[in-house]
């Protein structure tokens, strides 16, 4: 449990990564009460610093002893590290907010998107999991519609940016563009094929069923966050040559009929949602515009004319912010508030 304090010692594991960097920025931006920041990374980053509150803070190498005196530990260095070090951090007295897939489906670990299920934070036993980026933005948009009309089935196709994979993937997209535009061939390392000027229907590993792990995360995590095992979800996840911002084409079937206007009215006041839907004036969300924003943008709200109670939506969010760092810091804010 987090003890009430006027400020907290906050560790960021993976502080130099795409998400870790954003976590430090969001902590500062939202004026989270940090008395001491502990940036942790691998030996590759040792000797460097991160800037926080106008100070250069030295990066420390992650070890079993890194968590002495730490109140909150934000993890974003991959599932393997989280599996090993999150229990160590908890033993040392920290509350862990973990951004990897390691703990999300563990029954004793709450999986939280504050706009949807902040109430689940209270039963944590030391670890709170941050959901998959694609799932977070989808449930922020769908929860208010589910509350009104009960969603029976979701069919989603994602268009995911390379920043989801991390810094190396962002560098790879840039290098491939430069090579191709100078008439050299691309040499992919992070992805199995060239991502520049291409789409890869392959995110995370394939399972024997033919689905990818990323697709199945959207199925299982959506049900856990919404607290409703009866929702049917099917997903196709696609990598696209975009730096930041995931987009999703979402089709839902509801128990009660919702007109597009009703859905728009609900979404226009929903927490964390920005309705951005005026096709007559070419107003619809795009990743280039949404990158850097906190809200989940929703546009292209239409009735699905092929079924009785169906809707189509286009959902875009900054995967590094709401999809990862911002959601984690929002959870920390709830923790700090809860012990008032
Ligand atoms: O398993 P998962 O859950 O699927 O997650 C896999 C990866 O996804 C990212 C994150 O990558 C993670 O490693 N990630 C996780 N959750 C995410 C989410 N929700 C998510 N991305 C989006 N949404 P990342 O590249 O963003 O961040 C990596 C960070 O982890 C640190 N790290 C890695 N191994 C570590 C470790 N820290 C401690 N101990 C370890 N053993 C990593 O630090 C980074 O902070 P670093 O010091 O290794 O990297 C610092 C700089 O070095 C560069 N670099 C990376 N690899 C190499 C390299 N340089 C040379 N050679 C390399 N092989 C990096 O560019 C970085 O700038
Ligand atoms: O959080 O886009 O489970 O490659 C792992 C894969 C985040 C996105 C997670 C990607 C994801 C990531």
């Amino acid at each position: 449990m987090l003890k009430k304090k006027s400020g907290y010692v906050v560790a960021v594991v993976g502080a130099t990564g795409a998400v870790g960097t954003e976590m430090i920025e969001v902590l500062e931006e939202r004026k989270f009460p940090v008395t001491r920041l502990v940036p942790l990374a691998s030996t590759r980053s040792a000797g460097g610093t991160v800037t926080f509150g106008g100070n250069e803070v030295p990066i420390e190498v992650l070890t079993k002893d890194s968590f002495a005196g730490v109140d909150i530990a934000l993890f974003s260095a991959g599932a393997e590290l989280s599996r090993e070090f999150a229990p160590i951090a908890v033993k040392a007295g920290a509350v862990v907010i973990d951004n990897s897939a390691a703990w999300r489906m563990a029954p004793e670990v709450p999986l939280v998107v504050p706009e949807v299920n902040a109430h689940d934070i209270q039963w944590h036993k030391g670890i709170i999991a941050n959901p998959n980026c694609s799932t977070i933005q989808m449930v922020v948009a769908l929860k208010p519609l589910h509350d009104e009309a009960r969603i029976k089935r979701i069919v989603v196709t994602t268009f995911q940016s390379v920043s989801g994979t991390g810094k190396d993937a962002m560098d790879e997209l840039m290098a491939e563009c430069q090579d191709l535009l100078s008439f050299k061939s691309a040499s992919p390392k992070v992805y199995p094929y060239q991502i520049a000027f291409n789409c890869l229907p392959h995110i995370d590993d394939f399972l024997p069923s033919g689905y990818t792990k990323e697709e199945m995360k959207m199925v299982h995590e959506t049900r856990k966050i919404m607290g409703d095992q009866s929702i049917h979800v099917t997903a196709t996840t696609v990598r696209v040559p975009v730096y930041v911002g995931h987009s999703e084409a979402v089709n839902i079937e509801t128990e009660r009929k919702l007109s597009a206007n009703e859905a728009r009215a609900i979404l226009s006041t929903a927490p964390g949602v920005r309705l951005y839907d005026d096709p007559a004036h070419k107003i619809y969300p795009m990743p280039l515009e949404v990158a850097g924003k906190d809200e989940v943008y929703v546009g292209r709200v239409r009735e699905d004319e092929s079924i009785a109670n169906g809707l189509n939506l286009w959902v875009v969010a900054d995967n590094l912010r709401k999809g990862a760092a911002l959601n984690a810091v929002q959870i920390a804010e709830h923790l700090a508030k809860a012990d008032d």
Side-chain angles (χ1 to χ4, degrees):
M1 289 300 127
L2 193 68
K3 298 231 171 60
K4 168 84 180 163
K5 290 183 180 174
S6 56
Y8 301 92
V9 178
V10 180
V12 176
V13 180
T16 54
V19 174
T21 311
E22 201 78 20
M23 283 172 162
I24 293 169
E25 242 178 78
V26 173
L27 283 168
E28 183 164 352
E29 225 178 79
R30 295 175 70 93
K31 303 192 168 52
F32 188 81
V34 180
T35 48
R36 184 161 65 90
L37 180 80
V38 185
L40 299 167
S42 71
T43 47
R44 282 196 295 272
S45 296
T49 58
V50 299
T51 311
F52 183 74
N55 299 314
E56 294 298 311
V57 186
I59 297 162
E60 298 173 29
V61 176
L62 173 68
T63 71
K64 290 185 167 44
D65 305 319
S66 296
F67 300 98
V70 170
D71 299 305
I72 301 171
L74 307 177
F75 273 67
S76 189
E80 222 175 292
L81 253 95
S82 292
R83 238 173 256 126
E84 184 182 348
F85 284 92
I88 293 171
V90 172
K91 247 194 208 122
V95 177
V96 170
I97 303 170
D98 182 39
N99 199 41
S100 82
W103 301 97
R104 290 179 187 150
M105 295 313 296
E108 74 281 10
V109 173
L111 182 64
V112 176
V113 178
E115 289 87 345
V116 178
N117 64 333
H119 55 271
D120 284 326
I121 293 173
Q122 68 196 36
W123 54 266
H124 81 84
K125 299 186 173 52
I127 303 176
I128 300 164
N130 210 50
N132 169 265
C133 33
S134 305
T135 308
I136 292 179
Q137 69 183 73
M138 186 172 80
V139 296
V140 167
L142 294 190
K143 179 61 162 56
L145 303 177
H146 185 55
D147 288 344
E148 271 312 307
R150 208 183 85 75
I151 295 172
K152 296 200 298 194
R153 179 169 184 250
I154 304 168
V155 181
V156 56
T157 304
T158 69
F159 305 70
Q160 298 186 216
S161 66
V162 297
S163 58
T165 318
K167 272 188 178 163
D168 293 350
M170 297 172 82
D171 295 345
E172 179 154 300
L173 173 57
M174 176 67 82
E176 285 183 356
C177 289
Q178 281 168 338
D179 282 346
L180 292 161
L181 294 176
S182 33
F183 306 102
K184 290 187 224 148
S185 57
S187 37
K189 288 182 199 69
V190 177
Y191 295 121
Y193 298 100
Q194 176 186 321
I195 181 63
F197 313 108
N198 205 5
C199 294
L200 313 182
H202 174 185
I203 298 182
D204 208 335
D205 301 329
F206 279 103
L207 297 163
S209 61
Y211 284 89
T212 63
K213 285 187 182 169
E214 184 79 352
E215 287 161 350
M216 296 318 291
K217 285 176 217 164
M218 296 194 77
V219 175
H220 301 303
E221 293 182 22
T222 298
R223 292 181 181 153
K224 180 166 175 176
I225 301 160
M226 304 266 255
D228 187 341
Q229 291 299 321
S230 73
I231 304 177
H232 297 270
V233 185
T234 187
T236 304
T237 57
V238 182
R239 182 82 59 200
V240 296
V242 167
Y243 277 103
V244 177
H246 288 359
S247 307
E248 303 178 337
V250 184
N251 176 271
I252 60 170
E253 185 176 2
T254 53
E255 197 168 87
R256 191 174 77 71
K257 168 97 186 148
L258 272 185
S259 69
N261 277 337
E262 279 176 288
R264 272 191 287 264
I266 294 164
L267 290 166
S268 67
T269 59
V273 173
R274 172 89 197 272
L275 181 70
Y276 199 66
D277 192 16
D278 185 5
H281 295 97
K282 299 198 200 77
I283 298 292
Y284 38 76
M286 294 176 287
L288 264 187
E289 262 186 297
V290 171
K293 304 283 196 323
D294 284 349
E295 296 86 2
V296 172
Y297 280 64
V298 184
R300 304 292 323 276
V301 180
R302 288 151 293 150
E303 280 155 49
D304 173 356
E305 290 164 356
S306 72
I307 51 173
N309 300 342
L311 283 174
N312 281 307
L313 312 122
W314 176 250
V315 180
V316 183
D318 183 324
N319 54 296
L320 298 178
R321 289 182 79 89
K322 185 56 193 168
L326 171 63
N327 197 70
V329 173
Q330 285 175 314
I331 293 173
E333 289 171 350
H334 275 267
L335 277 170
K337 231 180 16 199
D339 63 6
D340 280 347

